[in-house]
């Protein structure tokens, strides 16, 4: 019985660097969004100071995830190609909508891709989709790394949903898409809300040094007043597209991401000569009378 246990342990140990890199990415993202709640001094004017550091951490740790996936043999040439195609598709869909009235069909692609690719590759694909869309639309600024983290979390959440298939999976992903559309806005507002100062609505502004529950109550009021009207269309559009086109797209993505045997060794066997009849086997003249 020691054989199977040791094999399972080797698999878990081989996956450990990827899990650690993804956990560290998540912790850094949480710290980047939430640090104003933990300080008592004024928080400054914007996230312009820490955004470059967040982007550098994203790039470095994403590279660590890629190396870990290659080391565990989960990332092959076909997987890399699929991540690139999905990121390009998500970016293109962001160009089509440009976030008008909160309608962003990109999240439909991000949710389904996250479901198919698994947790670590899902986070990378979500973040790259957002970055691609940001470059295509020219919307690259200090908010971009925060959007990358939030979109990566959307894809990650889809990967962590219960393993169901068929219509149940489509409806589960549709419900998640609705929720993710709301949660994305709920998280993303944190990148600028603590710095609004007097421009925030009354009773909905950040108060430096106030108890966390006070600022959370103010933030909930701010979200309901300003952001819900944009986030609800995003969630409804994601859910609708998932119901209408989720099943065929899931089949397509799963078919396309099956491992290809690019590294299978090619062997050329020597040709087998055709057998010629022996002299003794050849019929003699007159043998047939």
């Amino acid at each position: 019985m020691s054989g199977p246990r040791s094999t399972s342990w080797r698999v878990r140990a081989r996956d450990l660097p990827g899990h650690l890199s993804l956990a560290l990415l998540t912790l850094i993202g949480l710290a980047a969004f939430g640090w104003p709640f933990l300080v008592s001094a004024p928080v400054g004017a914007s996230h312009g100071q820490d955004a470059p550091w967040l982007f550098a951490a994203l790039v470095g740790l994403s590279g660590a995830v890629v190396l870990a996936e290659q080391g565990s043999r989960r990332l092959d040439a076909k997987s890399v190609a699929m991540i690139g195609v999905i990121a390009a598709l998500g970016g293109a869909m962001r160009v089509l909508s440009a976030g008008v009235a909160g309608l962003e069909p990109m999240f439909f692609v991000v949710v389904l891709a996250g479901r198919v690719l698994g947790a670590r590759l899902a986070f990378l694909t979500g973040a790259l989709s957002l970055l691609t869309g940001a470059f295509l639309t020219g919307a690259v600024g200090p908010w971009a790394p925060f959007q990358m983290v939030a979109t990566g979390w959307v894809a990650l959440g889809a990967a962590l949903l219960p393993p169901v298939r068929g219509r149940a999976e489509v409806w589960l992903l549709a419900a998640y898409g609705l929720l993710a559309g709301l949660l994305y806005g709920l998280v993303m507002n944190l990148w600028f809300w603590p710095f609004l100062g007097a421009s925030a609505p009354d009773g909905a502004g950040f108060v430096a040094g106030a108890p966390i529950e006070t600022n959370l109550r103010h933030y909930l009021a701010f979200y309901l007043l300003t952001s819900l009207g944009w986030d609800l269309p995003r969630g409804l559009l994601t859910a609708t597209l998932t119901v209408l086109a989720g099943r065929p797209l899931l089949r397509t993505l799963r078919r396309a991401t099956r491992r290809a045997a690019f590294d299978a060794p090619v062997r050329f066997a020597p040709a087998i000569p055709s057998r010629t009849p022996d002299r003794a086997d050849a019929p003699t003249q007159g043998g047939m009378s």
Side-chain angles (χ1 to χ4, degrees):
M1 297 298 291
S2 60
R5 282 198 301 268
S6 61
T7 300
S8 176
W9 168 251
R10 283 198 300 269
V11 172
R12 288 197 299 269
R14 191 168 57 188
D15 290 343
L16 189 58
H19 288 302
L20 291 177
S21 298
L22 182 59
L24 190 54
L25 269 172
T26 299
L27 289 175
I28 290 175
L30 290 173
F33 279 108
W35 68 262
F37 290 90
L38 305 177
V39 297
S40 56
V43 294
S46 70
H47 267 299
Q49 299 292 329
D50 55 348
W53 295 104
L54 177 59
F55 184 77
L58 275 173
V59 172
L61 289 173
S62 296
V65 172
V66 170
L67 291 176
E69 291 296 292
Q70 288 179 330
S72 63
R73 298 184 180 274
R74 293 175 187 262
L75 191 66
D76 57 8
K78 194 169 188 180
S79 299
V80 172
M82 280 304 303
I83 291 173
V85 170
I86 294 170
L89 177 60
M93 296 188 78
R94 185 174 175 84
V95 172
L96 291 176
S97 66
V100 176
L103 298 175
E104 295 181 275
M106 179 193 75
F107 285 89
F108 161 65
V109 176
V110 168
V111 167
L112 296 187
R115 179 67 172 177
V116 171
L117 294 175
R120 294 185 296 274
L121 295 183
F123 185 92
L124 293 179
T125 304
L128 287 175
S129 297
L130 190 286
L131 184 61
T132 303
F135 278 119
L136 291 176
T137 57
V140 180
W143 56 84
F146 295 89
Q147 290 177 327
M148 290 172 65
V149 172
T151 310
W153 283 341
V154 169
L156 175 63
L160 298 178
L161 291 174
V164 294
R165 290 295 180 93
R167 290 187 178 274
E169 182 180 33
V170 172
W171 286 106
L172 176 65
L173 290 174
Y176 174 75
L178 174 59
L179 179 63
L182 299 173
L183 292 180
Y184 175 82
L186 187 68
V187 171
M188 270 307 301
N189 290 340
L190 291 174
W191 95 270
F192 67 87
W193 175 70
F195 310 99
L196 289 178
S199 60
D202 292 338
F206 178 78
V207 181
I212 292 180
E213 56 271 18
T214 299
N215 277 322
L216 288 177
R217 187 169 61 251
H218 286 193
Y219 179 62
L220 180 60
F222 174 83
Y223 179 78
L224 294 176
L225 289 172
T226 64
S227 185
L228 182 61
W230 285 78
D231 299 336
L232 189 58
R234 180 193 299 116
L236 289 174
L237 179 62
T238 304
T240 302
L241 292 176
T242 301
V243 172
L244 295 178
R247 200 166 183 180
L249 187 54
L250 282 171
R251 283 199 301 265
T252 300
L253 290 175
R254 284 181 172 131
R255 188 182 306 116
T257 51
R258 293 193 184 106
R259 293 181 61 87
F262 291 127
D263 56 352
V266 179
R267 297 186 179 89
F268 296 95
I272 301 175
S274 58
R275 183 175 181 274
T276 56
D278 296 334
R279 183 181 299 275
D281 296 336
T284 58
Q285 265 187 349
M288 300 288 294
S289 58

